[in-house]
Amino acid sequence: MPEIMEIIDLNSFLTPYLGQNAWVPGAVLFASWETIYMVFLSTLASYLIGMPLAIILVTSDEGQILENPQLNKILGSIINAARSLPFIILLILAIPFTRWVVGTSIGTVASIIPLSLAAIPFVARLVETSLKEIDWGLIEAALSMGASNWEIIRKVLIPEALPSIILGVAITAINLVGYSAMAGVLGGGGLGTLAYYHGYMRYQTAIMWITVVVLIVIVQGIQVLGNKAASNVINKRR
Amino acid sequence: MIEISNLTKIYGSSEQEVVALKDVNLYIKKGEIFGIIGLSGAGKSTLIRCINMLEKPSRGSIVVDGQAIGSLDAGKLRQVRQKIGMIFQHFNLLSSRNVFDNIMFPLEIAKVPHQEAQKKVDELLELVGLSDKARVYPEQLSGGQKQRVGIARALANDPKVLLSDEATSALDPQTTRSILKLLKDINRQLGLTIVLITHDMNVIKECCDRVAVINNSTIVEVGDVLNIFSNPGTPTSRSFINSIVNKDIPEEILHREALNHGGAASKLVRVSFIGESAGEPIISTMLQKYDIKANILYGNIDRVKDTPFGNLTLELMGSPALINDAMSFLQEYGLEVEVLNYAGNNGDY
Ligand SMILES: Nc1ncnc2c1ncn2[C@@H]1O[C@H](COP(=O)(O)OP(=O)(O)OP(=O)(O)O)[C@@H](O)[C@H]1O
Ligand SMILES: [Mg+2]
């Protein structure tokens, strides 16, 4: 299996982290940056695709503005199927696709592909839940004013659900931090790679623990930012 | 202005269908405030929602301002809807927009140029008395203020018709009165046709010109509010009117034992009257003209729009022939006379 060989042949890939005698804080900083970068871009990508899917899911449901039970059912099933796929399996299954898109299957840029793929169905369901909370009366009011479906989506659904959508972004990003560490074990880069190849494989326990602490800090940071952004929006509306 | 013909609306599938409206015919005149009253589940909301096609009729046609709206394509329907404002029981304001931007919303939809739209919003804020609340978000407003925003928003595109689905049902009586006054003012100032739905007869009494009573998916009575108040033709109408005007005579009066005055016959009658000229002057004239006595047992006077109307329960005493003449006299003057009881019957006839 060439993929596995490629993953194991990590010598060149690992140099930025710890060459022979690299400076540990620098390596941790670099790996943290990679994690944040991966999580940021994959969150972005998963929303770019997951959000429209969520809108289709909600609006195609029974009694909604773009009612289409068949489409709704098919899309729902695909999303459910995708969500039931364990990430580790997806990571391996996605290798050919990743290589086709990025040209390689290792490294941070390559990781963004499976991370986004894993997050898209999750995001679709998460945003769907946010959108479903909107009172049908608001949509009806917009319809009574002669709003088009697109105007309803853009001016009612999304703005009204915004605080809840923002909290969902934080949840997604936090999940992706965890996933990115898993991807790191398969050569995805970031803190996962650092912890696994140095902390674990080379018995540098300290590095492993430092990584854990940094991951906790990142997760906390995302949650605080998400809460703050959401409550800013809510407070503005009070 | 609105012509509804043979409107039928059936919800649900063929196995489990709910007939919400059955063969409804209604004509709503330009510039009137038309009330639709009925009990919960009678089909009021369905009816009003058919007028702007929020609900698609199963059968029948609806013509608004000369346009049959059932046959319009989606784009045209959106245009027509811009000219039919609607207000709601729960206001349905966007929490993501402040008052100003909420009123701006329909103008955005109608693609009104920004400058012009801003000017319009300012005017509307003035009209509904909320100029000082322009930058406030709906969450900070009281129910009455929210409904004012709802009204301003519904009027933004200068509609020809305003539909109101229980717009005051979530408000206290005093706020209800102020909102109804606003609707009346708008109706007069702008000549706007208003269709309003309610289950509260007070709302009808306060501001409607004509009313339709809907029961069990059909219109059971349509007419001038005054006529229906003074002479309800169906049990449904009667019960609505009784809910606010106590036409029922208290038990103890009907069951009076002492309806026998020294051998003279006596009759318990209810006299209903409408308008300024009606009522007590006629009764005193009657008493002067005929040699009978009258005992006022119970009375109730109310105003519908600006016309007084009410009823008096009288005990007429004297010779039976004179009593009959006196009653005809009252009827000649347009009063409605109803015999409730004969002496000694104790109310159980
Ligand atoms: N979307 C729907 N699907 C199925 N049945 C419906 C639907 N909307 C209304 N109905 C039914 O149609 C009938 C009339 O409902 P409608 O909402 O018009 O009554 P209403 O007079 O407005 O009552 P209320 O005073 O409670 O608002 C009711 O039996 C109701 O259950
Ligand atoms: Mg209703």
Side-chain angles (χ1 to χ4, degrees):
Chain A
M1 285 177 87
E3 291 90 0
I4 304 295
M5 291 314 296
E6 187 184 58
I7 289 164
I8 290 168
D9 180 22
L10 286 165
N11 281 334
S12 63
F13 176 68
L14 289 174
T15 29
Y17 295 93
L18 292 179
Q20 282 316 39
N21 346 285
W23 184 50
V24 174
V28 171
L29 224 55
F30 182 74
S32 307
W33 158 246
E34 279 190 331
T35 293
I36 291 168
Y37 167 85
M38 276 191 294
V39 168
F40 178 78
L41 285 180
S42 49
T43 305
L44 191 71
S46 61
Y47 269 83
L48 281 178
I49 300 169
M51 189 98 158
L53 290 180
I55 291 167
I56 295 171
L57 266 182
V58 171
T59 54
S60 66
D61 207 358
E62 219 183 304
Q64 300 295 318
I65 51 174
L66 294 167
E67 183 172 348
N68 187 338
Q70 264 162 312
L71 174 69
N72 186 272
K73 217 168 169 178
I74 293 169
L75 186 58
S77 315
I78 293 174
I79 287 170
N80 284 347
R83 284 198 67 192
S84 55
L85 197 65
F87 181 62
I88 194 80
I89 309 281
L90 178 103
L91 212 48
I92 295 163
L93 286 179
I95 287 173
F97 178 67
T98 306
R99 201 178 292 137
W100 178 69
V101 178
V102 190
T104 171
S105 66
I106 59 167
T108 42
V109 177
S111 295
I112 291 167
I113 304 286
L115 286 174
S116 305
L117 287 177
I120 286 166
F122 180 73
V123 167
R125 286 294 183 206
L126 208 56
V127 176
E128 181 195 20
T129 314
S130 302
L131 295 176
K132 271 193 169 162
E133 282 164 20
I134 297 167
D135 186 357
W136 173 250
L138 294 180
I139 296 166
E140 202 155 68
L143 284 173
S144 80
M145 291 173 220
S148 65
N149 294 326
W150 175 237
E151 280 166 328
I152 289 172
I153 291 166
R154 207 163 51 90
K155 298 186 172 200
V156 179
L157 290 182
I158 296 175
E160 287 295 309
L162 194 61
S164 165
I165 291 175
I166 291 173
L167 290 175
V169 172
I171 294 172
T172 307
I174 287 169
N175 274 343
L176 283 172
V177 170
Y179 281 1
S180 79
M182 230 188 284
V185 173
L186 291 189
L191 290 161
T193 298
L194 184 67
Y196 185 69
Y197 289 100
H198 297 274
Y200 180 72
M201 301 266 267
R202 295 184 188 171
Y203 308 106
Q204 289 167 305
T205 333
I207 288 187
M208 203 154 80
W209 285 111
I210 290 170
T211 330
V212 169
V213 171
V214 173
L215 283 172
I216 291 172
V217 170
I218 290 176
V219 166
Q220 287 286 353
I222 293 171
Q223 192 63 65
V224 168
L225 270 175
N227 289 348
K228 185 119 186 67
S231 59
N232 271 351
V233 174
I234 293 169
N235 287 334
K236 204 192 119 210
R237 296 175 181 181
R238 284 224 172 95
Chain B
M1 179 55 89
I2 302 172
E3 213 175 332
I4 298 169
S5 321
N6 306 315
L7 174 64
T8 296
K9 172 70 189 181
I10 300 167
Y11 286 112
S13 55
S14 47
E15 314 101 63
Q16 218 188 353
E17 56 182 37
V18 180
V19 180
L21 291 174
K22 210 160 39 194
D23 226 14
V24 168
N25 289 285
L26 212 53
Y27 181 73
I28 296 166
K29 294 179 211 162
K30 191 176 166 68
E32 73 177 338
I33 304 186
F34 191 91
I36 298 171
I37 191 166
L39 296 171
S40 187
K44 307 181 294 290
S45 296
T46 306
L47 176 56
I48 205 168
R49 291 154 52 80
C50 280
I51 298 176
N52 61 0
M53 287 283 133
L54 283 179
E55 221 56 86
K56 269 217 156 359
S58 307
R59 280 193 292 282
S61 82
I62 294 163
V63 177
V64 180
D65 199 29
Q67 193 139 40
I69 60 167
S71 53
L72 299 173
D73 63 52
K76 194 79 185 81
L77 177 62
R78 288 202 296 272
Q79 272 179 9
V80 169
R81 278 175 173 166
Q82 289 170 13
K83 295 289 174 194
I84 306 177
M86 191 169 197
I87 54 176
F88 306 86
Q89 179 173 2
H90 298 297
F91 324 119
N92 296 342
L93 301 178
L94 294 175
S95 66
S96 52
R97 289 170 173 242
N98 62 24
V99 167
F100 191 93
D101 292 337
N102 261 288
I103 303 172
M104 194 68 145
F105 188 34
L107 295 162
E108 288 172 21
I109 291 168
K111 313 252 176 330
V112 176
H114 196 68
Q115 296 260 310
E116 197 180 315
Q118 282 188 317
K119 212 173 130 248
K120 183 77 193 178
V121 175
D122 284 331
E123 284 169 25
L124 288 162
L125 282 168
E126 185 90 20
L127 177 74
V128 299
L130 285 178
S131 297
D132 56 329
K133 300 280 185 205
R135 303 293 156 196
V136 163
Y137 280 81
E139 200 164 316
Q140 286 179 325
L141 300 176
S142 69
Q145 290 171 330
K146 282 183 193 165
Q147 197 57 286
R148 282 170 188 273
V149 179
I151 291 169
R153 182 176 71 172
L155 297 178
N157 285 317
D158 300 317
K160 300 184 177 101
V161 176
L162 179 68
L163 307 175
S164 157
D165 190 353
E166 308 259 16
T168 56
S169 297
L171 305 174
D172 61 63
Q174 201 178 335
T175 315
T176 294
R177 225 164 296 133
S178 80
I179 292 293
L180 293 177
K181 184 176 177 306
L182 177 63
L183 290 178
K184 270 196 284 190
D185 290 347
I186 290 165
N187 166 257
R188 283 190 197 138
Q189 281 174 31
L190 312 174
L192 186 71
T193 309
I194 300 179
V195 183
L196 69 82
I197 272 182
T198 182
H199 54 248
D200 180 359
M201 202 66 187
N202 279 308
V203 171
I204 302 282
K205 187 185 92 182
E206 204 111 337
C207 74
C208 292
D209 299 305
R210 289 200 307 143
V211 61
V213 181
I214 183 167
N215 191 30
N216 267 332
S217 319
T218 50
I219 306 268
V220 292
E221 197 166 357
V222 188
D224 280 3
V225 170
L226 260 170
N227 289 341
I228 288 192
F229 263 83
S230 55
N231 189 14
T234 63
T236 318
S237 320
R238 218 163 294 145
S239 74
F240 275 119
I241 288 160
N242 283 336
S243 69
I244 60 158
V245 178
N246 197 354
K247 256 197 160 184
D248 289 331
I249 294 139
E251 285 288 297
E252 66 271 19
I253 294 180
L254 269 179
H255 288 277
R256 262 163 64 111
E257 295 283 348
L259 280 173
N260 210 328
H261 301 272
S266 100
K267 242 180 202 176
L268 199 59
V269 297
R270 177 162 56 202
V271 180
S272 309
F273 56 89
I274 314 170
E276 297 292 355
S277 66
E280 277 176 88
I282 297 177
I283 288 168
S284 53
T285 315
M286 171 194 84
L287 292 175
Q288 281 163 17
K289 211 168 160 189
Y290 303 94
D291 183 26
I292 57 171
K293 284 193 174 110
N295 202 1
I296 296 179
L297 297 177
Y298 186 74
N300 196 312
I301 299 179
D302 207 332
R303 273 175 185 272
V304 175
K305 292 207 89 181
D306 299 316
T307 313
F309 98 99
N311 60 78
L312 290 171
T313 302
L314 306 173
E315 188 184 12
L316 301 177
M317 291 161 286
S319 85
L322 280 176
I323 289 178
N324 280 339
D325 289 350
M327 281 166 56
S328 315
F329 170 81
L330 293 178
Q331 278 161 342
E332 264 168 47
Y333 275 84
L335 274 67
E336 200 197 320
V337 183
E338 196 182 344
V339 178
L340 298 174
N341 200 356
Y342 292 95
N345 275 357
N346 288 338
D348 42 26
Y349 70 102

